Amino acid sequence: MSCLGFHCHKSLLMIIFLAFLGLISFPAEAAIKKYQFDVQVKNVSRLCHAKPIVTVNGRFPGPTIYVREGDRVQVNVTNHVKYNLSIHWHGLKQYRNGWADGPAYITQCPIQSGNSYTYDFNVTGQRGTLWWHAHILWLRATVYGAIVILPKPGTPFPFPQPAREFEILLGEWWNNDVEEVEKQGFKMGLPPNMSDAHTINGKPGPLFPCSEKHTYAIEVEQGKSYLLRIINAALNDELFFAIAGHNLTVVEVDAVYTKPFTTQSILIGPGQTTNVLVQANKVPGRYFMATRTFMDAPIPVDNKTATAILQYKGIPNTVLPSLPQLPAGNNSDFALNYNKKLKSLNSAKYPANVPLKVDRNLFYTIGLGKNSCPTCVNGTRLLASLNNVSFVMPQTALLQAHYFNIKGVFRTDFPERPSTPFNYTGVPLTANLGTSTGTRVGKIAFNSTVELVLQDTNLLTVESHPFHLHGYNFFVVGTGVGNFDPAKDPTKYNLVDPVERNTVGVPTGGWTAIRFRADNPGVWFMHCHLELHTGWGLKTAFVVEDGEGEDQSILPPPKDLPTC
Ligand SMILES: *[C@@H]1O[C@H](CO)[C@@H](O)[C@H](O)[C@H]1NC(C)=O
Ligand SMILES: *[C@@H]1O[C@H](CO)[C@@H](O)[C@H](O)[C@H]1NC(C)=O
Ligand SMILES: *[C@@H]1O[C@H](CO)[C@@H](O)[C@H](O)[C@H]1NC(C)=O
Ligand SMILES: *[C@@H]1O[C@H](CO)[C@@H](O)[C@H](O)[C@H]1NC(C)=O
Ligand SMILES: *[C@@H]1O[C@H](CO)[C@@H](O)[C@H](O)[C@H]1NC(C)=O
Ligand SMILES: *[C@@H]1O[C@H](CO)[C@@H](O)[C@H](O)[C@H]1NC(C)=O
Ligand SMILES: *[C@@H]1O[C@H](CO)[C@@H](O)[C@H](O)[C@H]1NC(C)=O
Ligand SMILES: *[C@@H]1O[C@H](CO)[C@@H](O)[C@H](O)[C@H]1NC(C)=O
Ligand SMILES: *[C@@H]1O[C@H](CO)[C@@H](O)[C@H](O)[C@H]1NC(C)=O
Ligand SMILES: *[C@@H]1O[C@H](CO)[C@@H](O)[C@H](O)[C@H]1NC(C)=O
Ligand SMILES: *[C@@H]1O[C@H](CO)[C@@H](O)[C@H](O)[C@H]1NC(C)=O
Ligand SMILES: *[C@@H]1O[C@H](CO)[C@@H](O)[C@H](O)[C@H]1NC(C)=O
């Protein structure tokens, strides 16, 4: 050993110094990050109303999971409330490990009152902002938090290093008990009451009564740049977000780096995340951040504006902030143009591996419908479907049924295309609003490439739908307004640098084409991330079969997996 005495110390110090600068990196020992999530009731007051809400560790929003790429995460979730529940780690790929994905009755039975379950997963090949939320009933209204995945030690961001970063969680608030609201809607067969406010980090801001204490604020220093990790945790609203006087440079969505572009407002659907850089380069003062709903169909929504404050250091709280101009609530053009600007970074280090050859072509229509319901207000119940199948929740989790080969829980004959094609976005549309129901899923061979076109329809009404796929990211290769044209539209696909994400908005009266390689065996939920529509059956799952290889099959279930 030559490492003795002073010289050794000096070179060791030099190595430590270089490592500190990020100039060299060690094959980092993957850390195990452990969290305790106590799901418990907490009395919280907003908009002059106090009420008990379901929280994690009494916090609203819940705690941030803060990890590095490569880490192992173990979250012991203990249920102290009266509801069955489960938690989803939204956007984490969970390779071979659907047991830790979380949607109740899809990958696991819920954690019942008084019980615990440890979600144990590795964060592999992903870095950026994701989030976690309850995945049963409407509990995610208050049970949600951020997941921040830093790059591996020594790996910088592919954009200028910000002075600081902030998590910005956009949400919705109901003055009444959200489970009562949901139940009432279901009983009536109608949409439940819309929310009473939007929130930024759980706070509605000073445009609402009793909100002086309930305003989120960040402090910035003139000349510095900041990274905002923005998450749409709202149940039912796609949202615009902007900061008065300040542009936003989008650098990442859904934990995938993008080609940077600058915009005055972003559009973010429920389930999506967007990282933006903000330069504090304005006259020092106080500026509102604001968020409000995007809705370009004739459907009533909560269109109230939540605000938070960006405050320059040294500016007193008495200075009145100015409001940003958000796009008009129904501005479809903004939405289409904004989504067009999103492109994968597609660099040597972060390539966009878009499947060029497609093994399976799927075409799913999104429809709303009405079925008979004698006890409902109108004698009918509203529901929603993909290819005219409204998904019925099973009583055994699909992943268990698949893994243990339990028969009779689901069928694998989900239609690959509509059985009776029609003019999907025609006006007026005279198609029958009756909808079929069933627990039907699609079966996909391991490592095959899938193209799925999601087509909105005018059944009852056209509307924009944010679709989320579990277990995968996908590439958004094309999108358009009207009916998808299988002859012409694919020639216009972007197969070079399409945006890669886990949740995508299908435009109102339009279509979106996504591609992914089915290299993650398991049962993966796919659903509209508007909770209202998930509840109405706008969901299905893919059963991705095991591969032949040793490391290409579903891992054995953990010992503490909840049972039904
Ligand atoms: C919640 O707090 C409010 C105000 O402090 C109080 O009036 C109410 O009784 C509390 N509710 C519960 C369930 O503790
Ligand atoms: C999870 O937390 C509960 C409640 O604190 C505890 O009883 C249980 O032992 C924990 N489980 C593990 C695996 O640590
Ligand atoms: C996570 O990684 C560790 C260390 O490589 C491994 O022991 C463990 O089985 C992995 N867990 C999952 C769920 O893949
Ligand atoms: C829904 O709104 C109606 C009308 O404002 C109100 O009467 C009803 O109590 C609300 N329901 C719930 C569960 O909050
Ligand atoms: C914001 O961007 C617009 C157009 O991209 C530009 O005209 C404007 O000067 C920018 N404003 C700031 C404050 O950088
Ligand atoms: C907001 O919604 C309410 C109720 O649906 C409606 O009356 C109002 O016109 C809407 N405001 C805007 C700016 O769209
Ligand atoms: C958007 O809403 C405004 C009123 O808020 C209305 O004047 C305008 O016609 C609407 N635009 C579209 C495209 O529907
Ligand atoms: C239900 O009935 C009410 C009046 O009772 C009517 O205004 C509403 O349009 C109906 N809704 C649906 C979805 O049928
Ligand atoms: C579909 O409906 C649209 C809008 O009503 C109409 O313009 C179009 O011609 C229809 N297409 C076909 C093939 O009938
Ligand atoms: C959907 O299925 C129902 C029930 O089988 C049927 O009545 C209806 O015509 C179908 N609708 C479409 C658009 O295929
Ligand atoms: C999946 O298929 C691709 C293309 O044929 C191949 O390069 C890759 O190694 C396969 N992956 C696995 C896990 O088998
Ligand atoms: C909780 O889940 C179990 C297992 O699926 C089920 O038997 C029970 O009815 C559920 N309880 C409630 C309150 O939904």
Side-chain angles (χ1 to χ4, degrees):
M1 289 288 283
S2 60
C3 192
L4 290 165
F6 176 73
H7 290 286
C8 170
H9 266 101
K10 216 167 71 174
S11 53
L12 253 180
L13 281 175
M14 182 53 86
I15 287 170
I16 291 166
F17 180 65
L18 288 174
F20 176 73
L21 289 180
L23 295 178
I24 56 170
S25 58
F26 300 102
E29 190 75 16
I32 300 184
K33 301 273 169 70
K34 295 191 182 193
Y35 289 86
Q36 175 67 37
F37 273 24
D38 284 303
V39 180
Q40 56 194 218
V41 167
K42 165 105 179 168
N43 197 1
V44 158
S45 163
R46 296 288 185 274
L47 275 63
C48 324
H49 294 254
K51 64 160 186 179
I53 62 168
V54 180
T55 66
V56 166
N57 300 348
R59 293 168 58 183
F60 174 60
T64 297
I65 299 278
Y66 209 79
V67 299
R68 272 194 193 279
E69 181 181 346
D71 285 349
R72 178 173 186 169
V73 185
Q74 291 174 333
V75 190
N76 180 7
V77 177
T78 304
N79 182 358
H80 303 279
V81 300
K82 64 179 178 182
Y83 303 105
N84 280 338
L85 65 90
S86 66
I87 304 241
H88 171 49
W89 317 90
H90 185 117
L92 278 160
K93 289 186 196 166
Q94 306 288 11
Y95 187 62
R96 303 171 59 204
N97 188 31
W99 311 111
D101 190 41
Y105 299 107
I106 304 297
T107 58
Q108 68 166 98
C109 299
I111 308 165
Q112 297 182 38
S113 244
N115 292 359
S116 296
Y117 175 48
T118 299
Y119 290 88
D120 184 349
F121 53 88
N122 293 318
V123 180
T124 311
Q126 295 183 276
R127 75 296 303 167
T129 308
L130 293 171
W131 64 299
W132 56 266
H133 59 81
H135 212 306
I136 189 168
L137 307 170
W138 277 25
L139 290 174
R140 76 176 178 84
T142 56
V143 180
Y144 63 84
I147 300 176
V148 174
I149 309 167
L150 295 175
K152 287 186 172 167
T155 304
F157 294 128
F159 46 80
Q161 199 70 19
R164 248 197 95 175
E165 29 177 284
F166 299 96
E167 291 124 54
I168 307 281
L169 292 107
L170 313 178
E172 280 182 275
W173 174 263
W174 277 261
N175 285 333
N176 289 343
D177 184 311
V178 73
E179 286 310 324
E180 289 306 316
V181 170
E182 182 202 0
K183 249 195 258 165
Q184 187 184 50
F186 182 78
K187 203 165 153 224
M188 292 167 65
L190 293 172
N193 291 352
M194 63 181 73
S195 52
D196 296 294
H198 290 114
T199 56
I200 298 179
N201 288 345
K203 297 169 175 181
L207 304 188
F208 289 89
C210 309
S211 290
E212 312 75 47
K213 278 190 305 188
H214 300 302
T215 300
Y216 176 74
I218 61 177
E219 191 183 75
V220 299
E221 284 181 56
Q222 168 77 32
K224 292 194 172 165
S225 112
Y226 297 86
L227 182 69
L228 304 190
R229 299 178 177 272
I230 306 164
I231 295 164
N232 185 344
L235 267 79
N236 295 316
D237 294 331
E238 297 185 80
L239 295 166
F240 294 118
F241 174 90
I243 306 177
H246 293 73
N247 284 337
L248 310 173
T249 301
V250 176
V251 292
E252 181 216 299
V253 296
D254 295 4
V256 184
Y257 296 129
T258 60
K259 290 200 170 68
F261 69 93
T262 296
T263 178
Q264 277 166 11
S265 307
I266 65 160
L267 173 64
I268 183 166
Q272 296 182 327
T273 67
T274 305
N275 279 9
V276 302
L277 288 172
V278 180
Q279 306 290 335
N281 59 2
K282 299 298 285 186
V283 179
R286 294 173 90 219
Y287 297 86
F288 271 130
M289 309 177 205
T291 188
R292 192 187 57 210
T293 304
F294 163 58
M295 170 51 81
D296 61 349
I299 296 170
V301 284
D302 174 358
N303 53 19
K304 293 182 278 304
T305 305
T307 53
I309 294 172
L310 178 132
Q311 179 156 354
Y312 282 68
K313 201 173 174 178
I315 299 297
N317 287 349
T318 47
V319 174
L320 273 183
S322 52
L323 264 175
Q325 259 215 313
L326 292 163
N330 58 2
N331 194 335
S332 314
D333 289 343
F334 179 94
L336 292 169
N337 287 331
Y338 176 82
N339 284 326
K340 245 183 240 163
K341 288 185 212 159
L342 290 169
K343 298 218 158 85
S344 284
L345 185 57
N346 192 28
S347 63
K349 197 166 162 72
Y350 303 103
N353 294 316
V354 190
L356 299 178
K357 179 183 138 285
V358 173
D359 300 323
R360 285 285 292 279
N361 270 290
L362 306 175
F363 183 87
Y364 290 3
T365 56
I366 302 166
L368 300 179
K370 274 189 211 179
N371 278 1
S372 160
C373 168
T375 59
C376 293
V377 170
N378 291 7
T380 54
R381 180 191 302 289
L382 290 170
L383 73 175
S385 62
L386 285 166
N387 278 351
N388 201 24
V389 181
S390 183
F391 189 83
V392 175
M393 288 307 266
Q395 285 177 353
T396 304
L398 299 183
L399 183 60
Q400 273 100 325
H402 170 60
Y403 187 84
F404 294 108
N405 205 9
I406 304 167
K407 302 283 178 219
V409 177
F410 61 87
R411 284 161 52 180
T412 54
D413 61 351
F414 191 87
E416 300 209 343
R417 46 194 47 80
S419 53
T420 327
F422 58 101
N423 188 350
Y424 306 116
T425 56
V427 188
L429 184 63
T430 47
N432 179 349
L433 288 174
T435 302
S436 78
T437 56
T439 309
R440 296 166 70 182
V441 304
K443 197 171 189 174
I444 296 178
F446 178 76
N447 204 30
S448 54
T449 52
V450 180
E451 176 175 310
L452 167 64
V453 176
L454 288 158
Q455 170 73 59
D456 188 30
T457 69
N458 196 15
L459 289 166
L460 213 53
T461 174
V462 288
E463 184 176 354
S464 163
H465 299 272
F467 260 82
H468 174 44
L469 175 61
H470 291 226
Y472 292 92
N473 283 346
F474 49 73
F475 292 96
V476 184
V477 294
T479 190
V481 172
N483 298 341
F484 174 71
D485 181 339
K488 288 198 193 125
D489 288 322
T491 63
K492 291 177 252 162
Y493 282 172
N494 176 2
L495 299 175
V496 177
D497 60 356
V499 69
E500 178 185 343
R501 57 190 326 168
N502 63 56
T503 306
V504 68
V506 177
T508 300
W511 58 272
T512 291
I514 63 172
R515 284 190 185 182
F516 62 97
R517 177 178 289 283
D519 56 5
N520 189 6
V523 179
W524 303 108
F525 206 21
M526 188 186 70
H527 59 101
C528 177
H529 218 278
L530 304 178
E531 210 53 44
L532 175 64
H533 292 170
T534 315
W536 284 354
L538 196 41
K539 56 195 171 188
T540 181
F542 291 116
V543 171
V544 177
E545 295 171 293
D546 286 347
E548 310 263 285
E550 209 176 297
D551 54 357
Q552 295 176 353
S553 53
I554 300 171
L555 292 168
K559 293 206 171 56
D560 60 341
L561 186 72
T563 50
C564 285

